[in-house]
Structures are given as structure tokens and as C-alpha cells.
């Protein structure tokens, strides 16, 4: 039983703030350990359920959050963006028997969802054949093209509801309830880890009865992005940002919107209106691959602006976090709290 575990960060135990998800920000070192600990709880449960081979894919941000020594021995950790064909699924292939996704969050446009977005904040909405979807649905359809079923999802209350139409009747683990974009009601760490471990065990034990979700082609993915070339305050897009990421030979305006930047770099894409990019392919795998390429066109601009402009480093505080973490409970499940 070969199990693939994709690990995002926003839906991990106790997390709710932007300052907790990027390297160098004040809450990051704590929560990258929490991210690894949630993954380790799932790995333990999967092995208890019958998994003989576990792959863990670091699927958040620059995808170098969990270190090899953060993860249980014997687990194959896939991290980093180098040679990453699949956005949140590095290491996934048809030889896997099941997929587990943990640490996920609500889709773009969910006003009260903790850190809600779909891949990046620059994507205002992502629709597959007309239906708005969150990240787990994209990954489930990719796995389905490979013949691999998704058996478990964890995160907040909203992502489970949004992903259910595609993921169907699987194990859902709610670690928190979203109250606002930067606020949630959280379960304490001892409870979240027990839930993750028990659910992973149960999910793997029943994995053989699960069927992959297959979307027959043709496939259309629509992505709404900013068409404002001056600057988008909500995304902290600064003038001249996109031009900074173009290398040589460009003689256009000094200011480019995300929409203009994407269309310039992808002349094969269609657009029914300003701000909407359309990907049309024969299979979902091809559509996912192209969506990942479009992501790369504005990814660095998007992430760096969140860190440089939006993050409130000096004002960061987490009152009540003592109710989530126990000083005696290891954040990463491996030993004393770091």
C-alpha cells in the first residue's frame, strides 16, 4: 500500500495568520514544525492502517518548509520547486494507491475563510468546467487521471464543504473553524493529532474500496486574475512589479497587470474578457500542467508582496495560543518541543 500525502500549511493545527506561513516572519518557525507534526501524525496512522510506503510532499509556498529531520524515518519527503511538474503533488504517480491531503484551506473569494485562496492570492477564482473549486479538488482530479483515489482531507470547516462535491464520501478531519480571514476557533494540539492519526488509519484501511475521481475531457479551466495595471491594494501589487520579472526584449508599457503579464507569456490561451484566462485541453492532466505554468508567471510577485507589504511583522501577536499548544506536547511529534 503506497500512500501519497500532500501537506499544505494554512489548514494545519492552530494556524490563522499570514505571519505564520512564510520564512523569516515571526510565527513561521513554530508553525513549520506544527505542519511537520500534523504530517507525522498522519504518517503514523497510515502505517497503522496498512501503508507500507509513504511519500510526503511539501506543498506550501516555496515548498521547503519541512526539513528531512522533521519527518519520521523511512518516509520519502519531496520538497522544493525544482523539477516540480505538479504544483502540490511532487512525487505523485500512478503507482500510488491512495492520496491524503492535509493542512488545506478555503478557496479564493471565501471572505471568512482563514487565509482563503486558490494556489496564490493573484488567482481570484479558479473554475473547472464552470464550477468554482478549491485546491484539493484540483489535486483530486489530477490524481484521478492517474487512477489514484483521494481518501482523506484535513483543514478548516470550509474547505471540506467546498471540496466535497468532487472528493465525495471520504475521511474529513476538521481541525479548526474559520471565523475570519485571520481568525479561527482551534482544537488543541493533542486532539488534532489524535484525529489525524485515527482518521489516516481508517482511511488507509478502507482505501481499496475508494474509486478515483475522473473528469472526462475536454476540460476548460477559467482563472480570474487582476486586470488593474496600476496596482491592486488587496494583493499589494506594486507598480512595475510584473515588468521586473520579464527578461529582455520587452518594449511594452512599464506597468503590466497580472492579466496582461500572463497573456503575454501564454499566447496560446484564450480570454473572453479582461481579467479571465481560459485553458482548454483534452485531459485534466494537461489543464493542471498549464495552470501550474500560469501560476509561475506571477508567483514570485505574489508571494514576495505578501511578505514585504501585507505581513504585519511588528504587530504580530497570537493571544490564546496557549489554549492550542501544550508546553509538554512536541510540535513535530518527534520529541521535546523546539
Amino acid at each position: 500500500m503506497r500512500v501519497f500525502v500532500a501537506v499544505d500549511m494554512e489548514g494545519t493545527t492552530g494556524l490563522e495568520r499570514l505571519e505564520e506561513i512564510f520564512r523569516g516572519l515571526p510565527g513561521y518557525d513554530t508553525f513549520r514544525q506544527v505542519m511537520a507534526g500534523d504530517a507525522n501524525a498522519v504518517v503514523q496512522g497510515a502505517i497503522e492502517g496498512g501503508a507500507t510506503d509513504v511519500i510526503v510532499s511539501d506543498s506550501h509556498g516555496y515548498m521547503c518548509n519541512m526539513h528531512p529531520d522533521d519527518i519520521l524515518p523511512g518516509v520519502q519527503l519531496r520538497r522544493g520547486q525544482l523539477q516540480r511538474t505538479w504544483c502540490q503533488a511532487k512525487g505523485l504517480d500512478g503507482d500510488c494507491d491512495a492520496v491524503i491531503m492535509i493542512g488545506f484551506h478555503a478557496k479564493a473569494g471565501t471572505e471568512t475563510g482563514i487565509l482563503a485562496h486558490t494556489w496564490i492570492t493573484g488567482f481570484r477564482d479558479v473554475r473547472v468546467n464552470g464550477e468554482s473549486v478549491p485546491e484539493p479538488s484540483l489535486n483530486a482530479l489530477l490524481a484521478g487521471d492517474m487512477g489514484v483515489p483521494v481518501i482523506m482531507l484535513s483543514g478548516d470547516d470550509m474547505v471540506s464543504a467546498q471540496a466535497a462535491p468532487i472528493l465525495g464520501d471520504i475521511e474529513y478531519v476538521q481541525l479548526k473553524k474559520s471565523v475570519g480571514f485571520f481568525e479561527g476557533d482551534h482544537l488543541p494540539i493533542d486532539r488534532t493529532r489524535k484525529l489525524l492519526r485515527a482518521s489516516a488509519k481508517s482511511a488507509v484501511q478502507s482505501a481499496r474500496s475508494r474509486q478515483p475521481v475522473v473528469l472526462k475531457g475536454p476540460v476548460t479551466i477559467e482563472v480570474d486574475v487582476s486586470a488593474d495595471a496600476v496596482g491592486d491594494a488587496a494583493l499589494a501589487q506594486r507598480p512595475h512589479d510584473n515588468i521586473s520579472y520579464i527578461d529582455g526584449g520587452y518594449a511594452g508599457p512599464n506597468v503590466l497587470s497580472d492579466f496582461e503579464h500572463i497573456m503575454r507569456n501564454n499566447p496560446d490561451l484564450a480570454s473572453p474578457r479582461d481579467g479571465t484566462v481560459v485553458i482548454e485541453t483534452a485531459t485534466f492532466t494537461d489543464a493542471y500542467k498549464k495552470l501550474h505554468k500560469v501560476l509561475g508567471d506571477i508567483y514570485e510577485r505574489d508571494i514576495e508582496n505578501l511578505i514585504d507589504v501585507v505581513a504585519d511583522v511588528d504587530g504580530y501577536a497570537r493571544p490564546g495560543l496557549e489554549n492550542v499548544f501544550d508546553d509538554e506536547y512536541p510540535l513535530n511529534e518527534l520529541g521535546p518541543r523546539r
Side-chain angles (χ1 to χ4, degrees), residues 6-63:
V7 188
D8 203 0
M9 195 169 188
E10 289 85 353
T12 58
T13 297
L15 191 150
E16 67 180 29
R17 296 291 301 274
L18 177 64
E19 296 80 15
E20 295 161 353
I21 63 173
F22 291 120
R23 187 181 303 278
L25 299 186
Y28 174 78
D29 285 338
T30 293
F31 280 96
R32 73 163 197 86
Q33 288 287 336
V34 178
M35 177 187 184
D38 282 6
N40 283 331
V42 167
V43 169
Q44 292 176 77
I47 292 172
E48 291 167 358
T52 55
D53 187 13
V54 181
I55 300 168
V56 170
S57 176
D58 189 327
S59 301
H60 168 74
Y62 289 118
M63 302 176 180

Side-chain angles (χ1 to χ4, degrees), residues 4-13 34-43 56-60 66 71 88 99-105 135-136 139 150-156 159 167 171 173 175 192-193 195-197 199-200:
F4 179 88
V5 183
V7 188
D8 203 0
M9 195 169 188
E10 289 85 353
T12 58
T13 297
V34 178
M35 177 187 184
D38 282 6
N40 283 331
V42 167
V43 169
V56 170
S57 176
D58 189 327
S59 301
H60 168 74
M66 297 181 291
I71 302 298
Q88 292 183 314
V99 170
I100 291 173
M101 291 184 279
I102 65 171
F104 281 80
H105 49 81
E135 294 170 9
N139 298 325
V150 173
I151 61 174
M152 175 179 160
L153 171 67
S154 80
D156 65 4
V159 71
L167 272 61
E171 292 273 348
V173 184
L175 305 185
T192 65
R193 297 291 166 77
L195 283 171
L196 290 169
R197 187 168 181 167
S199 296

Side-chain angles (χ1 to χ4, degrees), residues 200-263:
K201 178 180 178 179
S202 175
V204 171
Q205 286 175 331
S206 63
R208 299 294 185 190
S209 66
R210 304 295 184 186
Q211 297 298 317
V213 180
V214 179
L215 182 64
K216 295 181 179 180
V219 174
T220 299
I221 294 182
E222 299 169 283
V223 187
D224 293 339
V225 295
S226 174
D228 180 359
V230 176
D232 188 330
L235 302 179
Q237 182 175 328
R238 295 168 290 191
H240 314 297
D241 263 342
N242 284 328
I243 193 69
S244 300
Y245 291 99
I246 295 176
D247 186 21
Y250 179 69
N254 288 329
V255 178
L256 286 176
S257 69
D258 285 352
F259 173 71
E260 292 167 330
H261 189 35
I262 290 169
M263 295 305 294

